[in-house]
Amino acid sequence: MIQYSELPQHLTPLFDYPLRDTSICLGGDGVYYLTGTTGAPDWWAVTGDIQLWKSSDLEHWEPLITKPRKRTSVWNVDRDGTWQKEIQQRDGAPFRPLWAPEIHFLKDTYWLTYSIPRLGNGLLRSISGKAEGPYVDNIKVDAPLSPHIDASLFQDDDGQVYFLCDNGKMARMNEDMTALAEELRLLSPANAEHVGFEGTFLFKAEGRYHLVGADFVDGDYHCFAASSDKLYGPYGDRYVAIPHGGHNMIFQDKLGQWWSTFFGNNDSAPFKERPGALRIEFDQNGQIRPMKESRSEL
């Protein structure tokens, strides 16, 4: 059994707001932006907001959009969507959640990936170059980018952007990021079918590609990882990178230090369904592991 004691002792929420699948990026303006799944208490109901928070130091956070403005979200399905508006039924109840939005700063603007289960993945672009948007659907056809759950972006050293989703699927995007330029393919670790059944994320560090994903072991929700010298693999064995990390992502701060996001999936977590972040490092084998101290010196 993997214990929570393997995480930093002082891991605490960044702020007190119900949120899952935490995503953080450092913007072009030197500000950190955070998003994630909202819609508590019923994460499986009819939701549709993408909200953003900002911070200059990873310690003090505030909503990007606050009252008295009429809206608190940068994008909303019912206000801004098209194909995303369809409401289905699950166990006799209305079903249309918006899950796991991620924020990325690429090509001098901000991008939001997200998924609506049973409908598919979307990709939004800020047309102002600012984190607050406004955001528009960057896919030219009135349809999802793929029919899967979860979504992410990765930009390689040559500037090429790739779309990731589901359990480790990836495809190169075209130049203006309006469509996939190839079929999705599954990136698999050497010792398993997939790195995780959901929450796929890819980043490059220490000269290697690191693929992460979320999976359950004995009822606990962990972040697994596998690494490769080449983008399309082969990838090595998967291993537990962030115990109880679940659906997370990895980012760098202003000093180039590496972090993992966190949210706490169950009642035995250090905290439940609140945004968090912890410092990570790479061991002598090049594997990701949490650092015992979770804060940086910014």
Side-chain angles (χ1 to χ4, degrees), residues 157-173:
D157 296 336
D158 60 2
Q160 179 62 59
V161 177
Y162 297 82
F163 172 79
L164 297 104
C165 63
D166 206 38
N167 62 347
K169 296 179 178 67
M170 186 180 77
R172 179 172 52 87
M173 301 199 74

Side-chain angles (χ1 to χ4, degrees), residues 10 24 30 40 51 131 140 145 168 173 186 203-204 226 237 246 275 292:
H10 303 294
I24 296 174
Q51 301 181 52
K140 296 303 183 183
L145 187 57
M173 301 199 74
L186 180 65
F203 71 104
K204 192 174 184 179
D237 289 351
K292 292 301 182 182

Side-chain angles (χ1 to χ4, degrees), residues 50 75 83-84 102-104 106-107 110-116 120-126 135-141 143-146 151-154 161-164 173-174 176-180:
I50 299 180
W75 193 84
W83 61 266
Q84 306 92 338
E102 283 189 4
I103 182 166
H104 298 264
L106 305 170
K107 298 178 179 285
Y110 294 87
W111 304 80
L112 292 168
T113 58
Y114 64 94
S115 67
I116 298 181
N121 302 127
L123 176 62
L124 306 173
R125 173 177 56 90
S126 170
Y135 286 87
V136 298
D137 196 330
N138 204 58
I139 309 306
K140 296 303 183 183
V141 296
L145 187 57
S146 84
S152 186
L153 298 173
F154 168 70
V161 177
Y162 297 82
F163 172 79
L164 297 104
M173 301 199 74
N174 62 7
D176 58 4
M177 296 173 60
T178 57
L180 301 182

Side-chain angles (χ1 to χ4, degrees), residues 192-212:
E193 178 184 356
H194 48 237
V195 69
F197 79 97
E198 65 180 8
T200 298
F201 185 83
L202 181 69
F203 71 104
K204 192 174 184 179
E206 306 289 310
R208 307 195 76 205
Y209 297 93
H210 301 272
L211 181 70
V212 302

